[in-house]
Amino acid sequence: MAEMNFVSNLEGVEVVPESYVCPPEKRPDVAVKKTIPVLDFATHDRALLFQKILDSTHEFGFFQVINHGVPKKLVEETMSIFMEFHSMSPYDKRRECSKDNKSCRVFTSSNNYENEQTHFWRDCLALTCHPLDKNIHFWPQNPPKFREVVRTYCVAMEKFSWEIIDMISEGLGLEKGYLEGEMSSNRRITANHYPICPNPSLTLGLNQHCDRNLITILFQDANGLQVFKDGHWISFDSVDDAFLINFGYLFEVISNGKLKATEHRVVTNAKASRQSLGYFIFPENDVIIEPAKCLINEANPARYRSLELEDFYRHFFAVSTNTEETMKYILA
Ligand code: OGA
Ligand code: NI
């Protein structure tokens, strides 16, 4: 088994190690700078907000949200506690995550380290965060305030996420409660740390992919996320205090293609490290995901098939998250 080194421990290297050098066709080159729409969630007109979500998703695959109700100070505290975690020694990080390997995992690059062609320039701490009381005992106890801060963050994110889910559910015309319970109760947080990289033109922080969940709510402390839309890579500035939101394959299936999963990647930076916090909403593993019945009729037949999630995930990883192959699998 290949030795799994955290990228954090490479900080300071002057040359990118061979195993992190992407093949030429995968290296990040030009990206066009655009502006991703910013939605103000303090707006009372929910129908208008939903229309903006549709428009922005259609044009860019992502949208930004401000006035989301998650206190700025809490986001900062959470970012810094995860930063502290990533700066601990490899031994300490592994020890803090050894209580249970499902609720809490620290790893580097991708989920597929052993088999991937190239490693990615990121370290990641992934936590299961729902239900909180069942999982929190397995989370790190160091840095000392870790559990307290991350718990508060999860509670705030859960509240915010329901605002989004309810708005979309209503906007799409789904049955009330369709997305509640086991449809969306599998929640995970990832804290991605992308250290300074000596040569960003050779590396990626994360490869080109669509997310395999329902919705992702991301906070980034510096630019680095890029979106692939209509054949072009788009870079953008995220506004202060905003969350970035995108849909995964499972929402594309449920909405019968009204909402689309969009490819994205992370580029690295030679001047500063970067951290992102992802909040991922998944269904429980034994749920069947299919186009919602109310969105299907003679004029709009189901465009996707029913997915057994464990099979779907297995396939997604077997094709190394390749989008074309994944689409072939989910289309009817
Ligand atoms: C992801 C992802 C982006 C980022 O974890 O799926 O796309 O900026 N992360 O870390
Ligand atoms: Ni992603």
Side-chain angles (χ1 to χ4, degrees), residues 62 122 192 194 206-213 216 218 225 246 262-266 280:
F62 279 67
R122 108 165 150 160
N192 302 297
Y194 302 92
L206 213 53
N207 66 333
Q208 177 172 0
H209 70 281
C210 291
D211 295 345
R212 67 186 161 100
N213 56 333
T216 306
L218 188 95
L225 182 66
N246 66 293
T262 302
E263 289 183 292
H264 51 284
R265 71 179 177 192
V266 176
F280 291 85

Side-chain angles (χ1 to χ4, degrees), residues 63-326:
F63 57 97
Q64 313 191 53
V65 172
I66 54 166
N67 290 323
H68 38 66
V70 184
K72 186 175 176 147
K73 191 159 162 286
L74 176 59
V75 177
E76 285 167 357
E77 257 187 315
T78 310
M79 286 295 274
S80 66
I81 207 106
F82 278 117
M83 216 105 77
E84 255 186 86
F85 176 89
H86 281 293
S87 68
M88 297 194 312
S89 72
Y91 177 84
D92 286 347
K93 281 190 269 208
R94 293 208 167 93
R95 187 198 56 220
E96 292 302 324
C97 293
S98 62
K99 297 167 183 87
D100 164 75
N101 66 0
K102 287 211 201 95
S103 304
C104 172
R105 243 165 28 92
V106 64
F107 60 100
T108 190
S109 187
S110 79
N111 275 316
N112 199 21
Y113 189 89
E114 302 303 326
N115 302 314
E116 66 199 8
Q117 224 185 5
T118 312
H119 298 317
F120 301 104
W121 202 261
R122 108 165 150 160
D123 293 337
C124 181
L125 171 62
L127 304 172
T128 303
C129 52
H130 189 86
L132 264 173
D133 292 332
K134 222 176 113 192
N135 292 288
I136 199 165
H137 312 289
F138 303 115
W139 291 0
Q141 281 168 297
N142 283 296
K145 284 179 71 182
F146 186 94
R147 288 185 184 175
E148 182 188 328
V149 171
V150 181
R151 168 199 276 275
T152 311
Y153 183 72
C154 288
V155 171
M157 288 305 286
E158 184 171 348
K159 183 159 181 280
F160 171 40
S161 71
W162 278 117
E163 267 203 63
I164 303 174
I165 295 172
D166 287 345
M167 187 184 304
I168 293 167
S169 186
E170 199 183 309
L172 286 174
L174 298 180
E175 243 168 77
K176 207 172 154 34
Y178 189 92
L179 293 170
E180 289 173 18
E182 58 181 14
M183 275 299 264
S184 64
S185 54
N186 186 353
R187 309 276 173 121
R188 301 187 203 161
I189 283 199
T190 60
N192 302 297
H193 177 61
Y194 302 92
I196 289 177
C197 176
N199 192 343
S201 71
L202 299 177
T203 54
L204 283 175
L206 213 53
N207 66 333
Q208 177 172 0
H209 70 281
C210 291
D211 295 345
R212 67 186 161 100
N213 56 333
L214 290 164
I215 313 179
T216 306
I217 309 177
L218 188 95
F219 184 84
Q220 61 172 2
D221 66 359
N223 295 342
L225 182 66
Q226 296 188 344
V227 180
F228 193 63
K229 199 75 181 113
D230 305 323
H232 301 284
W233 282 104
I234 299 174
S235 65
F236 61 95
D237 292 332
S238 50
V239 293
D240 194 39
D241 201 25
F243 282 102
L244 289 160
I245 299 177
N246 66 293
F247 298 100
Y249 288 113
L250 301 184
F251 227 125
E252 178 163 342
V253 172
I254 289 172
S255 69
N256 202 28
K258 254 193 153 166
L259 300 167
K260 287 223 161 49
T262 302
E263 289 183 292
H264 51 284
R265 71 179 177 192
V266 176
V267 295
T268 60
N269 191 312
K271 297 206 178 72
S273 68
R274 169 176 177 271
Q275 186 172 265
S276 69
L277 283 185
Y279 183 83
F280 291 85
I281 304 175
F282 285 89
E284 297 300 336
N285 279 347
D286 54 1
V287 168
I288 304 273
I289 293 294
E290 59 190 8
K293 298 263 184 318
C294 64
L295 300 179
I296 294 171
N297 51 47
E298 243 166 72
N300 297 292
R303 298 173 52 202
Y304 301 82
R305 60 190 191 89
S306 294
L307 300 178
E308 302 227 12
L309 291 183
E310 301 209 1
D311 291 346
F312 167 61
Y313 298 150
R314 203 174 307 118
H315 184 270
F316 176 76
F317 288 117
V319 300
S320 302
T321 78
N322 179 284
T323 307
E324 214 180 312
E325 295 295 329
T326 308

